[in-house]
Amino acid sequence: MERYRHYSDTSRFILPAVDVLLIFAAFRLAGYLFLGNWYFGGYYPFFYAIFALLWWILSGQFANLYRTDRLITYPEKLLYLMRTFLLHAGVVLLGVVALHMYWLPARYLFSAYSFSVTAVVAGRFLITFFYRAYHKHLARPHSRFVIVGAGASGQELYRFLESHDPIANQFMGFFADSTEPVPAGIRPLVRGRLSELKEYCLRTQVDEIYFAMPLDRRQLIEDLSRFADDHFLSFRIVPDFRGTVRKDVNVYFYDHLPILTIRHAPLGIRTNQVLKRLFDIAFSLLVIVGVFPVVLTLLALLIKLDSPGPVFFKQMRPGKRNQLFPCYKLRTMRQGHGQTELQATKGDRRVTRVGYYLRKYNLDELPQFFNVLLGHMSVVGPRPNMISQLEEYSKHIRTYQMRHAVTPGITGYAQVNGFRGETREAGTMEKRVEYDLKYVENWSFGLDMKIIGLTVWNMVKGEKNAY
């Protein structure tokens, strides 16, 4: 399917030329409204020339506008145009200020930009509309194509082409194995079994065959490739990696080389690591400098008055890649109970009166901001469990170790979804690990902000599962 036929020498010059003419009309109209006549002399033609030339350059570099591109929807086109015009205005402003150039009246500039944006957007939309209408109602389809395989990859390809490529190409149907499960929604689109594909292609003059089945079907691929060559058809492979490895996969590209990964790991990307670490340093410093002098001093005094013993409690915990680190907390239990590896339970007699409230409102975790600053922990991440829990759950939960692929956090996705506290009930730790892995595979800076916000809210209302 030739998706890029509109990249031609003619379109590269005609479309921007239309833009320049529309911008010229916008300038003349703005001048008439501002001056009250059609005079277009003095500084105005010079500014128009700079304006039009800059638009020609920026639109080609950033808006991808030199095509009537059917793979771009109208909202996307509008977004690209508005983004480029904003950049255009910024460059013009910077140039005027830096070069100390004569500044045109603000009313005239506003009118010129407003009319130019309206004219260019309307022009682009009209060109696209007429182009698509012509190919839909008058022109013969450029390509008739079928999809071999009605699995996940085939369905994704069909949905993409139907939503982004509705003109100039005609979808003829799916062909699938008799053993391949086909969703009820696309069964009417299935034209037959694989054995019927060749006869159908010859009878209906199909132009292209998309192969969207697992790549281990080597004999079938070779057979269809030879058939396509013999009958002047285009044979294209859409790799069904999920069907090949029997797991969800992610595809990255190193230049033109595809790299498959079984698990999505956003925090394996260096820029994401740097962003998260910079936020951790800034946020932990803000808490340490702005909150600790008052809050930590008050909590330390309450702990001392409530029971004998140190203010802080230190325990070695497994961190990223199971590397042990000293995890700091405010002491919430009585001194000398000798059960530091035993998880706290509801009504635990080891917990002090002040410690109960510290745990309920997550205040006992405050010293861990020192861990964050030192790089042992992050503000958000899977909570670091005890060493005994690592040894126990690693034997029973196959994916438990995967949560240690990232730096542990003071708060986590599992905790804000209610999975904290005791893990004695069946399935409790499994759910906690499930949410931890969702965080690891779907990390974003926005998700971290959401978790921090939910954590603050839970601190205000109190945690019912915190003992």
Side-chain angles (χ1 to χ4, degrees):
M1 185 184 305
E2 187 57 58
R3 296 181 180 177
Y4 302 103
R5 62 185 184 278
H6 40 267
Y7 277 111
S8 63
D9 292 337
T10 302
S11 64
R12 287 178 183 272
F13 290 99
I14 291 180
L15 294 178
V18 171
D19 281 348
V20 169
L21 290 175
L22 291 172
I23 292 173
F24 178 74
F27 267 70
R28 295 303 305 272
L29 181 59
Y32 179 78
L33 293 178
F34 181 71
L35 301 173
N37 56 58
W38 295 105
Y39 173 75
F40 193 64
Y43 191 75
Y44 293 97
F46 173 74
F47 181 71
Y48 162 73
I50 297 298
F51 188 104
L53 179 60
L54 185 60
W55 169 255
W56 187 301
I57 296 171
L58 293 180
S59 63
Q61 292 294 323
F62 300 102
N64 203 17
L65 295 175
Y66 296 149
R67 57 180 178 175
T68 51
D69 189 351
R70 64 183 182 280
L71 292 180
I72 298 178
T73 62
Y74 285 104
E76 288 172 328
K77 285 179 179 291
L78 179 62
L79 175 63
Y80 295 152
L81 286 165
M82 297 306 298
R83 180 183 64 181
T84 308
F85 267 113
L86 287 174
L87 179 60
H88 185 282
V91 173
V92 169
L93 176 62
L94 181 63
V96 169
V97 173
L99 301 176
H100 303 286
M101 298 174 63
Y102 171 71
W103 187 249
L104 292 174
R107 180 184 166 193
Y108 176 81
L109 281 175
F110 178 78
S111 300
Y113 265 105
S114 299
F115 292 145
S116 296
V117 169
T118 304
V120 171
V121 170
R124 288 290 178 176
F125 279 21
L126 283 173
I127 291 173
T128 303
F129 173 78
F130 286 120
Y131 171 82
R132 294 181 177 181
Y134 166 76
H135 283 285
K136 183 175 182 180
H137 300 292
L138 299 176
R140 177 191 178 276
H142 285 271
S143 174
R144 296 185 177 97
F145 65 95
V146 295
I147 298 177
V148 179
S153 294
Q155 294 173 43
E156 289 176 10
L157 175 64
Y158 165 71
R159 285 191 293 266
F160 173 79
L161 295 177
E162 281 296 292
S163 60
H164 290 83
D165 197 2
I167 64 173
N169 298 283
Q170 184 178 353
F171 174 62
M172 304 300 290
F174 289 101
F175 284 84
D177 275 329
S178 57
T179 58
E180 186 175 4
V182 179
I186 66 169
R187 283 175 189 167
L189 301 175
V190 177
R191 298 293 177 254
R193 299 180 180 180
L194 296 180
S195 58
E196 302 170 303
L197 171 63
K198 295 179 182 179
E199 188 275 332
Y200 181 88
C201 290
L202 296 176
R203 176 165 44 88
T204 58
Q205 295 183 339
V206 168
D207 301 306
E208 293 181 318
I209 301 173
Y210 278 89
F211 185 87
M213 297 183 70
L215 297 180
D216 54 9
R217 304 290 296 269
R218 180 177 178 179
Q219 184 175 354
L220 177 60
I221 293 174
E222 292 178 352
D223 181 43
L224 292 178
S225 178
R226 285 194 299 268
F227 171 78
D229 289 341
D230 292 341
H231 295 87
F232 309 103
L233 306 180
S234 296
F235 182 66
R236 308 185 188 281
I237 297 176
V238 181
D240 182 10
F241 296 122
R242 186 181 305 172
T244 303
V245 300
R246 302 295 187 267
K247 290 183 179 180
D248 289 344
V249 299
N250 299 280
V251 183
Y252 299 92
F253 283 88
Y254 291 169
D255 193 9
H256 63 283
L257 183 66
I259 306 295
L260 307 185
T261 61
I262 303 301
R263 287 193 174 274
H264 188 46
L267 286 174
I269 300 173
R270 185 60 179 169
T271 53
N272 290 343
Q273 295 173 358
V274 172
L275 174 63
K276 188 172 176 63
R277 181 58 186 151
L278 289 176
F279 173 78
D280 285 342
I281 293 174
F283 194 85
S284 59
L285 282 174
L286 179 65
V287 173
I288 291 171
V289 175
V291 177
F292 277 17
V294 177
V295 175
L296 207 59
T297 301
L298 178 61
L299 294 179
L301 180 61
L302 291 175
I303 291 171
K304 278 294 188 180
L305 292 175
D306 182 54
S307 63
V311 171
F312 296 102
F313 170 73
K314 182 180 74 172
Q315 187 179 47
M316 299 302 292
R317 296 283 179 100
K320 185 176 181 179
R321 298 182 180 179
N322 294 338
Q323 295 295 315
L324 298 181
F325 71 94
C327 182
Y328 298 100
K329 300 181 71 172
L330 290 175
R331 183 175 61 84
T332 59
M333 293 187 175
R334 303 184 189 282
Q335 184 75 354
H337 55 76
Q339 297 175 314
T340 56
E341 285 288 325
L342 182 63
Q343 190 177 33
T345 58
K346 189 174 183 179
D348 199 317
R349 294 186 177 181
R350 295 174 298 167
V351 178
T352 64
R353 290 173 297 178
V354 171
Y356 169 79
Y357 290 101
L358 294 179
R359 286 174 170 268
K360 181 177 178 64
Y361 295 101
N362 298 306
L363 296 174
D364 60 322
E365 316 285 359
L366 283 177
Q368 289 170 21
F369 281 103
F370 289 117
N371 288 116
V372 173
L373 188 61
L374 294 172
H376 302 146
M377 296 178 66
S378 178
V379 177
V380 181
R383 287 290 299 150
N385 292 330
M386 292 181 288
I387 298 176
S388 59
Q389 290 177 309
L390 171 64
E391 296 172 349
E392 176 186 355
Y393 292 119
S394 295
K395 300 175 184 177
H396 308 296
I397 303 175
R398 188 184 63 84
T399 56
Y400 184 85
Q401 292 277 14
M402 296 178 184
R403 66 192 298 275
H404 291 266
V406 299
T407 306
I410 296 177
T411 184
Y413 194 47
Q415 283 65 43
V416 297
N417 281 281
F419 295 100
R420 62 161 297 167
E422 286 187 89
T423 56
R424 292 190 299 178
E425 295 183 11
T428 304
M429 182 55 79
E430 284 83 354
K431 292 298 293 185
R432 185 178 295 185
V433 172
E434 177 185 334
Y435 275 91
D436 285 340
L437 294 185
K438 285 182 179 178
Y439 172 80
V440 172
E441 295 182 1
N442 298 282
W443 177 88
S444 68
F445 188 71
L447 180 59
D448 272 3
M449 297 302 100
K450 177 181 178 181
I451 293 173
I452 291 173
L454 290 173
T455 301
V456 173
W457 171 248
N458 289 340
M459 289 177 65
V460 172
K461 70 176 184 179
E463 290 275 13
K464 65 178 181 179
N465 293 329
Y467 309 133

